[in-house]
Amino acid sequence: MKILLVEDEKSLAAAILDFLRAEGHVCEWAADAQAADEKIDVYEYDCALVDIMLPNGSGLDLVRKLKETQSRSGIIIISAKNSLDDKVQGLDLGADDYLTKPFHLSELNARLNALRRRRQFDGSPEIVFGPIKVLPDAKEVRVSGQPVTLTRKEYDLLVYLMSNPGRVLTKGAISEHLYGDDIDQVDRFDFLYSQMKNLRKKLAEQGCPDYIQTIYGVGYKLTA
């Protein structure tokens, strides 16, 4: 997942970022409400982890903005505030979950994975498109029951495409999802072309039809 962490406590933010990146997530960090607001205006995320109490603003205002702009991002509030009123307000604004500090990082990751299953795959532990089956918990890919060995980025690319079937994904959006926000500064996408070519080849070697449609000058679309 591509995740935006909005947390002003640097040591906690560093611990969360290190853990989630080790779990395979692409993470961006905003230390205050203004920085988070600027990122939300420009980039897309699979999930935002939002602290309520922030310098120069409230995390609840960020939750409200994400919902008002119809962002596709999931939202998990992480906060030291444990009152029932805070939880109810956050969830009423549209947050998907509320995690009270302190928490175990493994629990946070489990909630992130559960959120992704609910929002993108109807709660299923498997992602299926034609003969392609992905098992996210095991990070396994199969075509007609046969295993396919992918690199981490090839795997992330396939899951991103399968998470957005029929949707045209620009080269910029795909690159940001795989590598983070700063990749938008590159002028060429040779690295993406190479990964897409390798992914197509590995799927085809197992007899999979080429479902990845190239939209020339724009990006790609997964379509039957």
Side-chain angles (χ1 to χ4, degrees), residues 185-201:
Q185 300 175 24
V186 303
D187 297 323
R188 298 172 61 87
F189 294 94
D190 293 348
F191 60 92
L192 178 58
Y193 302 146
S194 177
Q195 288 165 352
M196 191 68 74
K197 178 181 177 181
N198 291 338
L199 174 60
R200 281 171 154 158
K201 179 181 178 182

Side-chain angles (χ1 to χ4, degrees), residues 100-116:
T100 303
K101 300 176 184 177
F103 51 80
H104 292 287
L105 295 175
S106 57
E107 180 183 2
L108 173 60
N109 192 49
R111 291 186 184 229
L112 282 166
N113 291 333
L115 172 61
R116 184 176 198 178

Side-chain angles (χ1 to χ4, degrees), residues 1 49 53 58 64 77 85 132 138 176 181 200 206 218:
M1 300 176 74
L49 303 176
M53 301 177 65
S58 167
R64 185 179 292 107
I77 292 175
D85 288 345
I132 308 171
E176 288 170 16
D181 296 343
R200 281 171 154 158
Q206 298 298 330
V218 180

